[in-house]
Amino acid sequence: MSSGTDPLLALRTAIKSKKEITYTNDAGPTTSFSAATHVVLAPAISLPKSTPTRLRKPASNSTDPQNQPEDFIPLGAVYLAWLLRDASGAEYMKQVRENGYTGGFVSVTERKGVADWLEETTQLLTGLIPNNTESTTPPGTPPQLRSATSLPSTSTLSKGADATSTPLKRRYVADHADMEVVKKIRANEIELQDRTTVLRGIKPNNFNSVKVAFADKLKKLKESGSGKHASGAASWASAPPTPDPKIQARKAKNQYPIIMISSSPTSLVTMYNVRRFLQDAVFEPSQDARTRAVSEGNARAEDVVPIYRKRTTIDPSGRETETQTRYFVVDSAEALAKFGPDAWERVVCVMTTGQAWQFRPYKWQEPKTLFHHVKGMYFSWTNDPPNPKIKDWNVTELKIDPNRRHVDKSVVAHFWRILDQWTIAHKPSLMQG
């Protein structure tokens, strides 16, 4: 072995040549790496396993592996990392301990990088110091001009009147390895797009033919001048009539959905606590809410309670829009009659306590028929047993915890989610925002 042989380059060359790497010890060739003292990388290159390489240990800043070998990883440990590159982390660490490399070895996280560098998959390796014997000239650089072919001096050019040629310039030759890296990068490149560029096509589209065909059809319809075709075409081509603002305002005013609750004193949700429960997502016992209302001077509960709910919608472009939706809550048919003859068309939810007498003044007195036209909700305590009366009523049961108020938000959110799904499916015109 030459004294100038670099262990890492010799190992890299041996791996690239795909020739078998063998081991030897004082007794001769051996097949056991742990029993070997030397690694035979080529017929003329046999290096001790303890030979320091140019690969520094993670906590070291040394730059001289010959004078400070304890700061560098030995050849045997580097070779072992490549040999067990596909083994599991546990198996690799077991082999490291059995071969005595507990003081200096390639870590599990750095094993792949070392293996890629040895197989020339990458040219970068963390912790590798430069080789003093390696040339710093980039690959592919043309040779320098020597003295025999040096550039002519100024005096020589002035003397030679017929000298018209210019000195040769260094031509850049791209490194083949760099070109391959660039190709891989470009192959995996992803062009960033936003909501505007994603709608752009790969070529411009001309819709002039559609415009011409549309104009010809309109012209023929107008020239016909008789029958329903002419009147239909004229009305279709003309602008739609402007709707009456009073009618539109009245229609919009009557589109607020209505929620009916039970007037039973045993109901968990009453006119005293319904606003704080559905609007603020905080459940307050009905008796406590009534006591608070009386102390504030409100002895009687309102017969109509407006509920303002904030809804967040996301359009196809990803923009969030927050709107406020209004609901009205009533607990009797008399209060519902204040909304006009079509009030039942706006009822989206009925909260029941499981008592059939609640439905006697309703438009639909039979529970199965009623909950076919509106969404039924049944609130109960979490520790209450199932109510057998509502089993066949097609209602959704929601549980309220008597003590844990932090779970009220999830209960109310579940209530609104169920109600929105039902309204969209059965009465979509009442969904606002």
Side-chain angles (χ1 to χ4, degrees), residues 11 34 40 55 61 63 96 111 148 152 155 157 177 217 232 248 250 272 323 327 337 368-369 375 391 394 403:
L11 178 58
S34 59
V40 181
L55 186 60
N61 294 322
T63 58
V96 167
R111 179 178 49 166
S155 59
L157 289 175
K217 187 174 182 179
Q248 292 294 100
R250 192 181 306 115
Y272 288 101
T323 57
Y327 290 78
K368 294 183 179 180
T369 306
K375 179 58 186 173
K391 181 178 180 182
N394 190 26
N403 304 312

Side-chain angles (χ1 to χ4, degrees), residues 88-150:
S88 63
E91 177 62 23
Y92 171 68
M93 293 304 300
K94 177 183 177 182
Q95 294 294 331
V96 167
R97 290 190 296 268
E98 291 180 354
N99 285 273
Y101 292 118
T102 56
F105 61 94
V106 179
S107 65
V108 177
T109 56
E110 297 175 351
R111 179 178 49 166
K112 186 179 183 304
V114 172
D116 290 343
W117 186 86
L118 291 174
E119 294 175 351
E120 299 188 8
T121 304
T122 179
Q123 301 298 324
L124 300 176
L125 181 58
T126 304
L128 183 67
I129 64 173
N131 186 10
N132 296 331
T133 61
E134 291 181 348
S135 174
T136 59
T137 304
T141 304
Q144 299 289 338
L145 297 176
R146 302 302 177 188
S147 58
T149 58
S150 59

Side-chain angles (χ1 to χ4, degrees), residues 25 31-32 49 88 90 96 101 107 149 154 158 184 212 245 262 268 341 348 366 377 379 402 413 418:
N25 54 22
T31 58
S32 174
K49 290 166 46 176
S88 63
V96 167
Y101 292 118
S107 65
T149 58
T154 306
S158 60
K184 291 181 180 179
V212 173
S262 175
L268 295 183
V348 295
E366 178 63 29
M377 294 287 187
F379 284 95
I418 294 175

Side-chain angles (χ1 to χ4, degrees), residues 255-267:
Q255 290 305 306
Y256 294 118
I258 300 173
I259 300 174
M260 293 193 68
I261 66 176
S262 175
S263 59
S264 172
T266 61
S267 176

